[in-house]
Amino acid sequence: MTTARPLAPRDAHRPGSRRFGAPAWRRRLGALVFGLAALLCVGAQAQTLRIASAFDPQTMDPHALALLYHTRVVNQVYDSLIGRNADFDLEPALATGWQMTAPTRWRLRLREGVVFHDGAPFGADDAVFSLERALAPPSQRAFQLKGVKAVRKVDAHTIDIELEAPDAALPHKLTGLPMMSRAWAEQHGVQRAQDFNGRQETHAVRHANGTGPFMLERYEPDVRTVLKAHPRWWGRGDARNGNLQQVQFVVVKSDATRLAALASGEVDLVLDPPYQDVQRLQREGRLKLLQMPDIGQQYLAFDQARDELESSDVKGRNPFKDKRVRQAVYQAINVELIVDKVLRGQATPTGAFLSSRVDGSPRELDRRLPHDPAAARRLLAEAGYPQGFAVTLDCVNVAWREAVCQAVSAMLTQVGIRTTLRASPTNQFFPKLSQGSASFIEYGWTPIPDAWPSLNGLFRTFDRSGLGTFNAGRYSNPKLDALIDAIRVEPDLARRRAMVGDALRIVHDELPYVPLYRRTLTWAMARDVHAVQWPNDTIELRWAARR
């Protein structure tokens, strides 16, 4: 942002200024130069998009994390084998075709003529390497590919994926899974994914080399990420494409500051405008708003692994292992009030654990248990905690998330669960989630339309092979595990949907989590910005434009 500066006395008397009567030709030339400069600036700005959000991607390593805020940025740089169109349906990306050639084998034909940002060609060796890298620890993408036994090169542009058992939904699991250059990874010693939880620093944390529509120009953690258009991108001629030449993702933690930056023109698009301002922005009409129901949702997860609850005044026991206590938490929280007062109506309370937009998720599970503080106190007493107990709730320190956690903490304290809120920055919060180290934690999950990756990631018993990667409370139910494993290999779609419903009913009955709400996704932007909104709250920059 430029700031006007008052003229100093010497400027007022500078030779050639208007005070000394500059010649008319010089004034006309100056005006012409100024006008051309202004036009060039407008033209440049029209192809630059500045996006503000409260979140930083944390790393540029494409397999180190599987978080929404990481994916938003990394998937602009790294293509996947299979993509999604504007309607969120599958479409070819780096793979032009795929088919099941045997019950446990899929063959993918790779796109020819694709180059990485360093100019090297993309081929089967890179695809095999990328899938193997995503599968190997400490990648947090392994849960996506559970059941993949081997990946083999058939020829320069064909690969086979060998499975442990039949998997009709494999193409869905290949969406959003970034493809890297094997040669680049070997050159820079990043053949394995960054150990994000171990705070490992590698070349791939701040550098990238994908085949995607945008190239990484600069990554400043917790400040900004600057991307520029990849001129040799294989999809450059697609009629759906926009006109962006540069994109800046800017981290602005403060709600008020993000919106002020949008109003002043310092940024062009805000992915998370303050809830309290959405209705006002709609009324005023100066900015353009895109809105869509979220396919994801927020949860509270309980520690169900430790025999003693950490940071609690209950010794020798873990109250959260008792379903009555978990149900007491559920019924103590007035989610309808939180949606109304904290989120200003920009969300929908839910009792389901996956959106009904996820294949097989039963609509009837969306009904919440009633808010009933008296029932919550009664359940606590029945479980042996008539005086309640103390617990720490972990939450990320982003304004709307923290405000919801504050409201939850107050409601739980009223029924005797004396809740201390611990809000942490993202680089401290997310390792607690994936390491399962929190006693009680609030977090969100964004599924794809196929249910299995979500069932596996959230509810499967945790192990380091890619099972239960985001099962933050380390909940375990062998019966549910067997059902989730069976869903992965069930070829009949009708049977598979029924099994998904059965699995979600088990979760609904056992309450390893408390389902909270699904947001109304709102993006606020300058009126000359065009964007396509997806229900997973990510933006596809290839289609974005300034008009």
Side-chain angles (χ1 to χ4, degrees):
M1 182 178 72
T2 56
T3 304
R5 184 176 61 182
L7 290 174
R10 63 180 180 272
D11 294 319
H13 299 280
R14 186 178 56 216
S17 71
R18 282 183 179 270
R19 177 162 182 166
F20 280 84
W25 68 267
R26 185 176 294 176
R27 293 199 300 273
R28 287 195 297 272
L29 179 61
L32 178 61
V33 170
F34 178 84
L36 286 171
L39 285 172
L40 289 171
C41 288
V42 168
Q45 186 178 19
Q47 294 185 338
T48 297
L49 186 67
R50 297 160 299 176
I51 303 171
S53 168
F55 294 96
D56 182 78
Q58 304 292 307
T59 177
M60 289 296 114
D61 189 309
H63 303 134
L65 289 174
L67 299 172
L68 167 64
Y69 318 110
H70 174 254
T71 301
R72 274 178 177 168
V73 178
V74 168
N75 282 13
Q76 317 297 337
V77 176
Y78 290 95
D79 286 315
S80 55
L81 293 172
I82 300 175
R84 293 190 181 276
N85 62 22
D87 295 323
F88 212 52
D89 296 324
L90 298 183
E91 72 171 6
L94 291 182
T96 56
W98 51 91
Q99 66 180 91
M100 187 186 296
T101 56
T104 58
R105 184 188 304 118
W106 283 79
R107 176 159 292 184
L108 286 82
R109 181 67 185 171
L110 305 181
R111 190 178 298 275
E112 299 186 30
V114 175
V115 296
F116 286 99
H117 298 157
D118 64 359
F122 165 78
D125 288 332
D126 304 299
V128 170
F129 166 77
S130 299
L131 291 170
E132 290 177 344
R133 188 180 193 266
L135 274 165
S139 165
Q140 292 189 21
R141 288 282 180 183
F143 79 99
Q144 222 172 311
L145 295 173
K146 192 64 181 174
V148 172
K149 184 178 178 181
V151 187
R152 295 188 176 89
K153 174 182 176 180
V154 177
D155 59 38
H157 292 96
T158 309
I159 63 170
D160 278 351
I161 298 179
E162 299 285 346
L163 305 172
E164 295 171 356
D167 186 351
L170 180 69
H172 286 276
K173 299 170 187 175
L174 299 176
T175 62
L177 195 69
M179 294 291 105
M180 294 183 74
S181 163
R182 177 177 180 172
W184 182 86
E186 290 174 346
Q187 177 187 352
H188 296 289
V190 290
Q191 295 95 322
R192 292 169 68 86
Q194 174 206 9
D195 182 358
F196 179 79
N197 290 339
R199 301 179 183 274
Q200 183 185 23
E201 188 71 25
T202 73
H203 185 80
V205 172
R206 287 179 172 79
H207 303 85
N209 180 39
T211 62
F214 288 88
M215 307 164 64
L216 178 65
E217 190 170 272
R218 186 168 72 257
Y219 173 47
E220 303 170 45
D222 289 317
V223 180
R224 74 180 66 240
T225 305
V226 181
L227 310 179
K228 63 180 179 181
H230 174 29
R232 297 179 65 189
W233 179 50
W234 58 267
R236 187 59 60 200
D238 194 317
R240 299 171 297 180
N241 287 342
N243 62 357
L244 300 183
Q245 292 301 309
Q246 186 187 77
V247 178
Q248 301 176 24
F249 285 91
V250 185
V251 179
V252 184
K253 297 286 186 183
S254 164
D255 283 351
T257 305
R258 272 198 313 282
L259 204 56
L262 180 61
S264 67
E266 291 178 78
V267 301
D268 311 302
L269 190 156
V270 169
L271 294 172
D272 40 13
Y275 287 100
Q276 65 269 20
D277 291 304
V278 170
Q279 291 185 353
R280 175 180 62 80
L281 294 174
Q282 289 172 325
R283 288 195 306 269
E284 291 177 350
R286 291 188 297 110
L287 298 170
K288 184 163 66 176
L289 269 66
L290 293 183
Q291 291 190 307
M292 175 177 285
D294 193 354
I295 195 173
Q297 65 187 72
Q298 302 299 123
Y299 306 93
L300 296 174
F302 309 96
D303 172 12
Q304 294 182 67
R306 299 176 183 86
D307 292 327
E308 181 176 298
L309 193 62
E310 291 186 352
S311 304
S312 177
D313 53 3
V314 174
K315 301 305 176 184
R317 288 187 294 172
N318 181 346
F320 290 145
K321 289 193 173 186
D322 192 314
K323 178 189 170 181
R324 292 170 295 186
V325 174
R326 302 194 297 272
Q327 185 172 333
V329 171
Y330 191 135
Q331 294 200 259
I333 300 170
N334 189 341
V335 175
E336 289 80 4
L337 184 64
I338 290 173
V339 166
D340 184 41
K341 300 300 183 183
V342 180
L343 303 178
R344 306 301 177 95
Q346 301 298 309
T348 303
T350 180
F353 288 84
L354 289 177
S355 165
S356 59
R357 294 189 64 169
V358 176
D359 197 27
S361 180
R363 289 184 179 274
E364 67 268 17
L365 297 185
D366 218 8
R367 291 191 297 273
R368 288 187 60 79
L369 291 174
H371 169 238
D372 191 338
R377 294 187 193 95
R378 185 169 61 253
L379 286 163
L380 287 173
E382 291 174 3
Y385 305 98
Q387 305 305 315
F389 58 91
V391 68
T392 298
L393 172 61
D394 277 293
C395 183
V396 69
N397 68 343
V398 172
W400 65 270
R401 298 270 295 272
E402 190 171 350
V404 169
C405 289
Q406 287 171 346
V408 165
S409 298
M411 291 171 181
L412 293 177
T413 299
Q414 287 177 357
V415 301
I417 303 174
R418 297 175 294 280
T419 306
T420 300
L421 174 61
R422 179 168 57 197
S424 307
T426 51
N427 62 349
Q428 296 176 24
F429 174 81
F430 290 126
K432 292 178 186 176
L433 167 61
S434 55
Q435 290 174 333
S437 60
S439 296
F440 189 32
I441 189 167
E442 184 272 350
Y443 70 101
W445 177 260
T446 301
I448 63 173
D450 180 68
W452 183 84
S454 297
L455 294 173
N456 175 53
L458 293 172
F459 308 120
R460 182 66 167 76
T461 298
F462 173 82
D463 74 29
R464 298 187 183 279
S465 71
L467 298 172
T469 302
F470 299 98
N471 181 348
R474 300 303 189 245
Y475 160 70
S476 180
N477 179 332
K479 179 181 176 182
L480 180 62
D481 290 349
L483 185 53
I484 291 172
D485 292 346
I487 289 168
R488 176 170 60 83
V489 300
E490 175 55 55
D492 183 89
L493 290 180
R495 171 71 179 148
R496 201 169 189 271
R497 292 187 186 106
M499 294 165 69
V500 168
D502 291 343
L504 289 171
R505 289 184 183 93
I506 292 173
V507 175
H508 189 268
D509 290 341
E510 294 208 339
L511 295 179
Y513 298 67
V514 171
L516 295 173
Y517 57 87
R518 294 191 190 94
R519 295 184 296 147
T520 299
L521 304 177
T522 302
W523 299 349
M525 62 195 74
R527 298 202 68 84
D528 69 336
V529 174
H530 169 79
V532 174
Q533 192 174 34
W534 270 351
N536 63 353
D537 207 15
T538 62
I539 181 169
E540 282 291 288
L541 294 177
R542 56 186 165 142
W543 298 328
R546 303 293 301 275
R547 292 173 178 167

